[in-house]
């Protein structure tokens, strides 16, 4: 899995102070979120626009409401 920043645009942020590592986000959107064997949550911070539906599903299902989404403008004004 390639997790990281890909470009400017929509953004995903997880509040580490709220996240309790339940892993529901990974179940909802395994291409965007991954609980590693070290117990840390890794996630794609700048997903493609088409993946924001998955990110939104993960955000809705997070019991801690730790996932915040920001829509980007992709450089447009
Ligand atoms: S579902 Fe929410 S609390 Fe659970 S690992 Fe994902 S971000 Fe953290």
């Amino acid at each position: 899995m390639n997790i990281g920043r890909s470009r400017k645009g929509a953004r995903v942020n997880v509040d580490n102070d709220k996240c309790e590592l339940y892993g529901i986000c990974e179940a909802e959107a395994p291409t965007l979120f991954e609980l590693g064997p070290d117990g840390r949550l890794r996630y794609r911070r700048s997903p493609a626009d088409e993946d924001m539906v998955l990110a939104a599903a993960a955000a809705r299902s997070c019991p801690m409401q730790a996932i915040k989404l920001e829509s980007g403008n992709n450089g447009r004004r």
Side-chain angles (χ1 to χ4, degrees):
M1 178 187 299
N2 179 19
I3 294 179
R5 286 178 125 176
S6 58
R7 60 180 176 73
K8 292 198 172 197
R11 300 273 300 158
V12 174
N13 272 300
V14 175
D15 185 337
N16 290 323
D17 291 334
K18 291 183 178 177
C19 175
E20 294 290 344
L21 300 172
Y22 295 130
I24 298 169
C25 52
E26 183 183 34
E28 284 288 333
T31 57
L32 301 180
F33 298 87
E34 180 180 57
L35 271 178
D38 58 357
R40 296 183 63 181
L41 178 69
R42 292 175 177 80
Y43 59 99
R44 192 181 299 270
R45 294 173 195 272
S46 301
D49 289 343
E50 57 268 27
D51 287 336
M52 287 307 283
V53 173
L54 278 174
R60 277 195 305 272
S61 63
C62 174
M64 301 306 294
Q65 298 187 339
I67 302 171
K68 298 297 176 209
L69 308 180
E70 293 173 28
S71 61
N73 61 11
N74 295 322
R76 287 179 242 135
R77 293 185 179 217

